[in-house]
Amino acid sequence: MDKLTTYSVLSRIRRSGDVYEPHGERTEIELSEKEAAPLKLLGRIGEPRGQIPRLC
């Protein structure tokens, strides 16, 4: 089983009948790295909770 990580929601996500929104009741979502990758590319979730993005 993949390790789950908590991410902040940047735009509305519907998953398994649940709705996650940046300004709703559910502002964080737990996902595996595999599930999170496409959502990161689309800008729907932020960096993992507790991590600051690296500056290049």
Side-chain angles (χ1 to χ4, degrees):
M1 186 174 188
D2 293 330
K3 178 183 163 196
L4 296 179
T5 304
T6 302
Y7 296 89
S8 56
V9 176
L10 301 178
S11 66
R12 185 179 176 152
I13 298 171
R14 184 176 278 236
R15 181 174 182 249
S16 302
D18 294 325
V19 176
Y20 299 86
E21 297 179 289
H23 303 293
E25 288 183 26
R26 296 179 176 184
T27 59
E28 295 180 336
I29 189 169
E30 285 191 340
L31 301 167
S32 67
E33 282 284 327
K34 186 176 180 180
E35 295 171 310
L39 294 173
K40 279 185 193 178
L41 290 173
L42 294 172
R44 302 191 97 188
I45 59 173
E47 294 296 319
R49 191 172 82 188
Q51 291 187 12
I52 299 172
R54 293 182 218 142
L55 298 175
C56 297

